[in-house]
Amino acid sequence: MITVVGCTGYIGSKLCLEFSNMGEKVVGLCLDKTNPLVNQLTQSNIPVFSCDITNLKSFKEAEDFINNNRIDTVYQMAGIHSSIEKMNDLYINGITNLISLFNKKQAPYFVFASSGITDFSKSIVSEIYHPFEKIITKMEYCIKRNTTNSIIVRIAEVYGKGKMNPFEKIDSGISFLGDGQNLMSKIHI
């Protein structure tokens, strides 16, 4: 069985549905079960549990399900960018809680969404100046310290139906920063 954390997000919801369409058993974890995507997932026979990975007490219902089912892979797709404090709470405390929850019973494979902003050429976190980069770097170090079977995917900017597509705006005169020689990492879903 596959667990997708952040199952109502843009990437997480598409991941759930694609795995389900491939015949995989999927369970979703999300922060808010009132999200309209929950109905779409449950109609596709994907159970969805509401929990906040930054708060271990909110895991009770999901934890019972996890303890009674074999989870082979956990995809951590949850993200938040509203404030430095909330990002730090999710990407450090939430990731630590998530790893702890699944490592209690078994050590599944983990796939963690990260960001291309991380630069491991810097030898210590104190050399990093951008707050988001610092948080993401700490998250990746936390993952490496606390898991043995994990992959960190550094996702670029994602766009698609319902999201701003930068390439549709080129003819309207939009200009990208830089001298035209810079690389832009875009992923279309």
Side-chain angles (χ1 to χ4, degrees), residues 43-60:
Q43 288 172 2
S44 296
N45 296 318
I46 300 170
V48 176
F49 296 95
S50 178
C51 63
D52 177 355
I53 66 172
T54 66
N55 177 359
L56 282 173
K57 292 177 182 175
S58 74
F59 274 105
K60 182 63 182 139

Side-chain angles (χ1 to χ4, degrees), residues 1-3 25-27 47 49 61-74 101-102 104-108:
M1 182 174 290
I2 295 169
T3 299
K25 291 184 179 179
V26 181
V27 62
F49 296 95
E61 184 183 9
E63 189 171 13
D64 290 342
F65 184 88
I66 290 163
N67 287 332
N68 292 314
N69 291 277
R70 178 181 164 81
I71 306 296
D72 299 307
T73 308
V74 177
L101 173 71
F102 283 95
K104 282 180 190 176
K105 180 181 176 223
Q106 59 202 13

